[in-house]
Amino acid sequence: IKWIKSSGTTWKLTTDGSYIKNQEKAGVGGILRNKMGRMIMAFSYPTQFCTKNYSEAQAALICIYWCSNQHFEALEVELDSTIVVQMINGICKPHWRVLGIIDDVTLN
């Protein structure tokens, strides 16, 4: 895996989520870098079991929320889930809602 420099925006956010169905385990993580590639913030932690797409959405939402609270603008988000990218862009709507994940998260 190789990090690709931001296409000119100030901040680049890369997130991922995972889900292992037979173990009913899920996790999320992400990293925020400035346009020079310097890490600004990173996180990872286990979440409740759900689905792969739900975990992907949780990871993106957590970081987008954190960036919004820090007043970071010109955010470029990089994901490996086409369906979550489509949800963020309003192209498709999930049949579930991501609730309550931000209340329990503190990112530093």
Side-chain angles (χ1 to χ4, degrees), residues 38-59:
R38 183 172 168 255
M39 184 182 75
I40 304 301
M41 179 274 292
F43 78 98
S44 69
Y45 68 92
T47 62
Q48 63 183 357
F49 67 91
C50 42
T51 68
K52 171 84 168 111
N53 288 331
Y54 191 92
S55 294
E56 293 276 357
Q58 280 184 324

Side-chain angles (χ1 to χ4, degrees), residues 25 90 101:
K25 292 183 179 181
I101 59 168

